Amino acid sequence: MTKVLSVGGSIIVPENPDTEFLTNFVNMVTEWLNADKSRKLILVAGGGAPARVYQNAYKDVAGKTGVNAQSDAADWIGIMATRINAQLLKACFGDFCKSDVVYDPTKDIEFEGQILVAAGWKPGFSTDNDAVLLGEKFNAETIVNLSNIEKVYTDDPRKNPDAKPLDTISWADFRKMVGDEWVPGKNCPFDPIASKKAESLGMKVICAGGKNIPNIKAILNDEEYIGTTIA
């Protein structure tokens, strides 16, 4: 049994590495894995604050020097941030994660131990898409997307006070909300490129708050949870 958790960078490194979250997350996950040695988890790390800080610095300098800011360049900066976050996750899980961090989800991958950690691959999409590709490779039917929001809303709640939280939403309706294009640093519940791929594979995506450790455990145990199911 393999499950995929896309761990948003905003959870791992909101400003600095969140050691309290990491401690609680590692303890919960290792306890869950020890309860059944057939269980396996794929963790895909996002970029978080380091990605935004460095991408914004690049855009600022480009604007002041007349350099034409390139989306690919901004994406690569974000990708490198996901890779240091992934190495942090791998190190925190010790012997549970025996394989190297995955940078290319399309290659042959040795999954030794009970945890596989992955990071960003290449420009054009976020780590959400890497999570979907790894889910396809390892026959996971559900991707759990952990971020700093508990549910998907009908609109951005920071801009629209009338935005309503959703328990469920169809892929068709969700994709109308997020569109079809990826912009580096784009803030949406699940990246448009990943959404298109997940829909084509018939995958289910659960969007949930990453700091709620008991809720993550409930999701792993297929119990009732707080979040939004996209299917």
Side-chain angles (χ1 to χ4, degrees):
M1 181 206 320
T2 301
K3 302 202 174 197
V4 182
L5 298 183
S6 182
V7 189
S10 60
I11 304 304
I12 304 167
V13 191
E15 289 185 25
N16 297 304
D18 188 339
T19 54
E20 182 180 359
F21 160 72
L22 287 167
T23 300
N24 293 333
F25 182 66
V26 169
N27 284 338
M28 181 276 290
V29 166
T30 52
E31 180 185 315
W32 185 78
L33 292 171
N34 278 327
D36 183 344
K37 291 297 185 181
S38 71
R39 291 172 172 171
K40 291 188 172 230
L41 271 183
I42 298 171
L43 305 177
V44 186
R52 289 190 300 276
V53 167
Y54 278 85
Q55 284 171 336
N56 288 339
Y58 163 59
K59 291 169 187 174
D60 185 39
V61 172
K64 290 173 179 174
T65 58
V67 171
N68 183 24
Q70 302 288 327
S71 286
D72 274 11
D75 250 345
W76 274 119
I77 291 167
I79 287 164
M80 291 307 169
T82 72
R83 293 181 178 184
I84 194 166
N85 290 345
Q87 292 292 346
L88 175 60
L89 278 182
K90 173 177 165 53
C92 287
F93 280 103
D95 289 341
F96 281 89
C97 182
K98 298 179 184 298
S99 298
D100 292 337
V101 172
V102 174
Y103 293 159
D104 182 347
T106 65
K107 287 188 173 179
D108 289 337
I109 297 166
E110 287 188 20
F111 191 159
E112 298 178 16
Q114 286 180 272
I115 290 178
L116 184 69
V117 176
W121 173 25
K122 64 180 183 178
F125 41 77
S126 76
T127 49
D128 292 341
N129 195 61
D130 301 322
V132 172
L133 293 173
L134 287 165
E136 180 185 23
K137 185 180 285 284
F138 290 99
N139 301 312
E141 295 175 355
T142 302
I143 309 294
V144 183
N145 190 49
L146 303 174
S147 71
N148 55 4
I149 60 166
E150 280 203 328
K151 291 188 178 185
V152 174
Y153 281 72
T154 52
D155 196 4
D156 188 339
R158 292 168 298 186
K159 298 175 183 175
N160 181 358
D162 295 325
K164 301 283 192 299
L166 299 166
D167 291 328
T168 59
I169 186 171
S170 69
W171 275 120
D173 288 341
F174 182 78
R175 290 189 56 213
K176 281 179 195 170
M177 286 171 53
V178 300
D180 292 320
E181 293 185 10
W182 165 248
V183 178
K186 182 171 182 169
N187 191 13
C188 61
F190 205 66
D191 136 24
I193 309 302
S195 297
K196 184 177 181 180
K197 181 71 174 174
E199 181 184 28
S200 73
L201 293 170
M203 273 185 180
K204 177 170 74 176
V205 168
I206 296 170
C207 293
K211 294 294 176 78
N212 188 339
I213 300 294
N215 193 53
I216 299 170
K217 188 173 183 181
I219 293 171
L220 291 175
N221 286 328
D222 299 318
E223 296 168 354
E224 192 172 332
Y225 60 86
I226 299 165
T228 301
T229 302
I230 313 170

